[in-house]
Amino acid sequence: MLPYLMLAEDRALMFDSEIRGQLAMLMGGRAAEQLTCSSVSTGAADDIRRATNLALRSVSEFGLSAAVGPLNVGVLAAGDGDDGAWLMRDNGDMAKLVEAEVSSSTMFLFNDTVSVVNRLLD
């Protein structure tokens, strides 16, 4: 029997290390393509979409970013009565922070994945 890898979308509970592993796995195709082909293609588009979504959720929904903190940005946006106005007065700073965290963590893991694939190719 082959082992079954449950994707992040199918899991109710994931540790931060599992999320990082999932992100690295999703970036593996683009990393391999970058190292072995003369140019990159659209082949990894779905993996990149899924990795971006998982990174966004880990920052904005799961509270796994030290910079954003243990909060759910969606709840801040929706609020409850007058509380939702907080995010509107934020001038987009929270959105910029979330975007920066998602980009930074995704690029860090992509670069790490490139290093791993490069070692495997040697």
Side-chain angles (χ1 to χ4, degrees):
M1 181 171 166
L2 293 173
Y4 174 70
L5 175 64
M6 288 187 73
L7 299 176
E9 303 92 90
D10 300 331
R11 303 263 315 267
L13 172 76
M14 286 186 71
F15 292 97
D16 58 344
S17 59
E18 292 175 295
I19 291 173
R20 286 191 306 273
Q22 190 78 213
L23 289 170
M25 182 187 71
L26 288 167
M27 292 294 182
R30 172 53 61 92
E33 185 177 59
Q34 181 175 308
L35 292 169
T36 60
C37 300
S38 58
S39 62
V40 294
S41 73
T42 60
D46 187 58
D47 289 341
I48 292 170
R49 180 193 60 77
R50 290 174 50 212
T52 304
N53 183 47
L54 181 56
L56 175 63
R57 291 182 67 204
S58 71
V59 170
S60 66
E61 185 178 336
F62 305 148
L64 297 177
S65 164
V68 174
L71 54 84
N72 185 305
V73 176
V75 172
L76 288 177
D80 184 24
D82 291 335
D83 294 341
W86 175 85
L87 199 58
M88 297 305 286
R89 292 188 306 268
D90 185 50
N91 294 323
D93 291 341
M94 180 59 77
K96 290 175 190 170
L97 179 59
V98 168
E99 184 178 348
E101 282 292 293
V102 169
S103 179
S104 174
S105 64
T106 303
M107 285 307 300
F108 175 81
L109 285 165
F110 175 73
N111 291 331
D112 194 43
T113 302
V114 167
S115 296
V116 170
V117 171
N118 197 29
R119 282 195 306 270
L120 291 172
L121 291 173
D122 286 341

